[in-house]
Amino acid sequence: DIQMTQSPSSLSASVGDRVTITCRASQGISNYLAWFQQKPGKAPKSLIYAASSLQSGVPSKFSGSGSGTDFTLTISSLQPEDFATYYCQQYNSYPITFGGGTKVEIK
Amino acid sequence: EVQLVESGGVVVQPGGSLRLSCAASGFTFDDYTMHWVRQAPGKGLEWVSLISWDGGSTYYADSVKGRFTISRDNSKNSLYLQMNSLRTEDTALYYCAKGASLLLWGQGTLVTVSS
């Protein structure tokens, strides 16, 4: 199985900060990488697929990059509505696996 | 409106069985691979199972293989998860999700396995 390792597991940031979350796959997954945002009590929401493609309706402050084993999610200017938990997920091979999540909290 | 609505979650005893359903609307259901993903209370996301657009291919997490069965009825725009031999560790919110990259999720249905 492909292990997905996210870092950090949590971070504190201020409104307006640039935030970067990393995700590392235990073996190459090409660009079969997605990012999700989950707020408390809500279902996950797809932000990015194919490592860098923005889902329809997702603001451009979110961006993704990477290929192979190393990936990043960047939020260019953190806003109050962005405080949430973020997950990466590989869909290159089965079983599909998720990272452990990164909780973004208010500093 | 494009949406997925799960149902069927209840409290069940260990060793029991349950069938979850997911009703799809607003899109061409049989164009898409569908998934079940679960989240135990206070924990992260765990992929459970996938079924191809025509039901011809299915895949499972090792944790549920041999106990859970995914199926779909494209004529009813519905996805199902038959859960047998339930264990306390199966307690979770179960989501259905659409597409290879899980681009749309339902709101989830809660399964509690407890005596």
Side-chain angles (χ1 to χ4, degrees):
Chain A
D1 299 2
I2 298 175
Q3 308 302 317
M4 304 300 293
T5 303
Q6 274 184 248
S7 60
S9 56
S10 66
L11 65 89
S12 295
S14 301
V15 172
D17 283 354
R18 181 182 181 90
V19 168
T20 298
I21 299 167
T22 64
C23 182
R24 175 165 289 176
S26 61
Q27 61 191 79
I29 59 170
S30 184
N31 68 335
Y32 293 98
L33 190 284
W35 289 97
F36 301 89
Q37 176 194 65
Q38 187 177 34
K39 297 181 180 179
K42 299 295 186 183
K45 173 187 174 184
S46 176
L47 298 176
I48 289 179
Y49 65 98
S52 59
S53 296
L54 208 60
Q55 282 288 1
S56 176
V58 174
S60 58
K61 61 182 171 181
F62 292 98
S63 63
S65 65
S67 184
T69 60
D70 293 311
F71 302 86
T72 60
L73 173 70
T74 300
I75 310 171
S76 60
S77 177
L78 203 64
Q79 297 303 305
E81 63 270 20
D82 302 327
F83 292 95
T85 299
Y86 294 85
Y87 294 93
C88 64
Q89 173 239 341
Q90 68 81 21
Y91 53 103
N92 178 74
S93 64
Y94 306 122
I96 288 170
T97 45
F98 289 89
T102 297
K103 187 173 184 179
V104 177
E105 298 175 302
I106 301 172
K107 182 182 285 184
Chain B
E1 181 186 4
V2 178
Q3 64 177 354
L4 298 168
V5 179
E6 301 92 339
S7 61
V10 292
V11 179
V12 61
Q13 291 190 337
S17 296
L18 199 56
R19 189 197 200 201
L20 304 183
S21 299
C22 170
S25 59
F27 64 97
T28 305
F29 182 67
D30 57 11
D31 275 353
Y32 292 92
T33 292
M34 295 294 295
H35 303 256
W36 287 99
V37 178
R38 68 185 181 183
Q39 187 168 35
K43 302 297 184 182
L45 300 171
E46 180 188 16
W47 175 80
V48 172
S49 184
L50 166 158
I51 187 167
S52 61
W53 68 275
D54 62 350
S57 297
T58 58
Y59 299 89
Y60 299 91
D62 286 346
S63 58
V64 307
K65 201 173 294 183
R67 301 187 299 123
F68 290 10
T69 302
I70 191 171
S71 62
R72 66 191 296 162
D73 185 339
N74 287 344
S75 69
K76 295 183 178 178
N77 290 343
S78 292
L79 174 72
Y80 306 101
L81 186 67
Q82 178 66 42
M83 309 165 68
N84 298 331
S85 303
L86 282 161
R87 305 167 180 167
T88 55
E89 56 265 36
D90 295 320
T91 293
L93 189 60
Y94 284 74
Y95 296 102
C96 62
K98 160 195 170 189
S101 61
L102 287 76
L103 63 94
L104 175 71
W105 298 57
Q107 287 305 301
T109 187
L110 182 61
V111 174
T112 303
V113 184
S114 173
S115 55

